[in-house]
Amino acid sequence: MYLSGVRTVRFTIGSIDDLSPEAPAIAECATILHQGGLVAIPTETVYGLAANALNPAAVMRIFEAKGRPAWDPLIVHVSAFEMVPRVAAEFPALAQQLTGRFWPGPLTLLLPKSTQLPNTVTAGRATVAVRMPAHPVARALIAAADLPLAAPSANRFGRISPTTADHVLSELDGRIDAVLDAGPAEVGVESTVLDPLRTPPLLLRPGGVTREQIEAIVGRVELYSPPGPTPRPGALASPGLAARHYAPTARLVLVDGERDALLKAARDYVASEGERGNYVGIMAPDNWIDDTILAAGGIVLFAWGAWSDWAQIGRNLFAGLRYLDKPGVNVILCPLPSAEGMGLALRDRLMRAARTS
Ligand code: TXA
Ligand code: MG
């Protein structure tokens, strides 16, 4: 039996050519999951912290390892459509229209929960959030274990989601049994969470599948606007969205507007922080920062990518926030994408990361 709190084993996928159930990394991780253990798994969005969704004790361990409050429900991951009835009591036509188009992929749907699924997974709710990840390693493991896997992002609660196995270990080493390392995540931002049981469907969390893509299939969707901090997050439509989240330790300052606005903010903050001996971190799109600003010193840059390449900007977002969040960096400056396409999800994550409560 694997012992949590002792040692976290890293299994590495050498080649995605061998993802058979007998491949050693897949077979070992499937065994751990069957024994009620915790395995951090690669998905196309971010790494998830997985346990057998049908084992309440295993699911409890996810909440303990992350320090996640029990009111915040988990997403259940499946590898095939045939697995959905093991966790959901119904799969309405509108939901099937969406999954027909976007599964496997970064779309999570709320469905009426099956009675077999432990209440710990859904935090006592009548619905379960279900998704079929696009990552071949995630699906190979779910299929090999033949278990639906409950998996939130594999970070400590409220912190930045992990896009590499190293990110996972930096926060959860010794608290989970294993991490299955398949390299950096492709999308870099979590899945879109949609409630298709409402009319119109309610977009709870923007993500890898865009609002425009969903509306092209099912017509208008409503955008959920989470309230500010609340004493009863468990009562909200999507409880996880109420709090400060994805947060670095340094103060994150968002700059709306384009290059000129960022350069002005950089000059101002370098002057004020420099007086106190602090550095200013900058999430810097390609070719935005010029030599005159760098010459002044006091800046740590993260090369974020081309500002119009939203796939690249999304992929690098969390790695950049982690990179800049280091001792001596007091403030991180970050330009805000506009709210179209992937930009909606990027803005959402940045605005929650910048909240102070
Ligand atoms: O891309 C992703 O979705 C990643 C990967 C690992 O799949 N997972 C992820 O899980 O981001 P997590 O737990 O960090 O975020 C899930 C969000 C939370 O905000 C939670 O409150 C919401 O989905 N959620 C889960 N089940 C729900 C339910 N039954 N009703 C409303 N909201 C739900
Ligand atoms: Mg999360």
Side-chain angles (χ1 to χ4, degrees):
M1 177 62 190
Y2 286 83
L3 298 170
S4 73
V6 177
R7 192 164 83 93
T8 299
V9 185
R10 183 198 295 246
F11 296 99
T12 303
I13 296 289
S15 152
I16 63 161
D17 296 338
D18 183 15
L19 295 180
S20 67
E22 295 78 35
I26 300 284
E28 293 270 5
C29 290
T31 301
I32 297 172
L33 292 165
H34 271 279
Q35 292 176 339
L38 300 184
V39 180
I41 62 167
T43 84
E44 76 280 21
T45 56
V46 301
Y47 275 71
L49 180 54
N52 174 3
L54 303 174
N55 176 340
V59 171
M60 280 298 290
R61 292 185 55 207
I62 295 179
F63 287 91
E64 284 161 19
K66 280 189 59 121
R68 182 179 177 112
W71 46 253
D72 198 359
L74 307 178
I75 295 176
V76 176
H77 298 69
V78 297
S79 57
F81 282 96
E82 298 79 70
M83 223 181 231
V84 174
R86 289 165 70 183
V87 298
E90 282 165 57
F91 199 170
L94 184 97
Q96 293 202 31
Q97 245 180 302
L98 287 166
T99 56
R101 170 72 179 75
F102 298 114
W103 278 11
L107 176 66
T108 298
L109 293 179
L110 300 196
L111 299 175
K113 161 188 183 303
S114 137
T115 49
Q116 304 177 50
L117 188 73
N119 286 319
T120 36
V121 175
T122 60
R125 287 167 179 255
T127 55
V128 55
V130 187
R131 114 171 170 92
M132 187 192 294
H135 202 297
V137 175
R139 282 214 313 289
L141 176 59
I142 299 166
D146 190 24
L147 293 173
L149 298 182
S153 51
N155 50 279
R156 295 289 197 106
F157 184 71
R159 307 278 305 163
I160 303 169
S161 293
T163 55
T164 67
D166 284 343
H167 294 166
V168 174
L169 290 171
S170 72
E171 289 179 16
L172 297 175
D173 197 4
R175 303 177 70 86
I176 64 177
D177 299 291
V179 57
L180 182 53
D181 184 353
E186 268 295 306
V187 178
V189 176
E190 300 84 348
S191 64
T192 303
V193 181
L194 185 81
D195 182 351
L197 307 172
R198 306 214 193 193
T199 313
L202 186 61
L203 182 62
L204 294 169
R205 179 177 73 180
V209 171
T210 67
R211 174 187 194 167
E212 293 85 342
Q213 286 175 305
I214 294 170
E215 289 189 327
I217 309 260
V218 297
R220 191 175 75 82
V221 304
E222 200 173 317
L223 193 57
Y224 176 63
S225 47
T230 157
R232 287 188 62 230
L236 301 173
S238 195
L241 304 190
R244 173 176 157 89
H245 218 100
Y246 314 106
T249 308
R251 181 153 72 97
L252 179 63
V253 174
L254 304 178
V255 183
D256 220 342
E258 292 282 304
R259 178 168 182 254
D260 289 347
L262 184 70
L263 292 182
K264 178 174 182 320
R267 282 192 203 92
D268 294 348
Y269 276 99
V270 165
S272 58
E273 292 296 325
E275 268 172 31
R276 285 175 258 147
N278 296 325
Y279 284 84
V280 175
I282 302 182
M283 294 287 286
D286 294 351
N287 305 318
W288 276 31
I289 302 297
D290 56 29
D291 291 347
T292 55
I293 294 222
L294 290 178
I299 286 180
V300 183
L301 285 186
F302 175 75
W304 196 358
W307 192 237
S308 52
D309 182 349
W310 304 117
Q312 185 183 42
I313 292 287
R315 184 155 56 239
N316 294 337
L317 170 68
F318 291 143
L321 292 176
R322 279 177 186 268
Y323 171 79
L324 294 175
D325 196 22
K326 52 179 138 203
V329 175
N330 208 33
V331 171
I332 298 172
L333 300 180
C334 182
L336 260 184
S338 67
E340 290 96 53
M342 262 299 269
L344 189 65
L346 302 175
R347 276 180 88 91
D348 166 78
R349 303 306 185 274
L350 284 167
M351 285 162 92
R352 281 196 275 150
R355 277 169 69 157
T356 50
S357 59

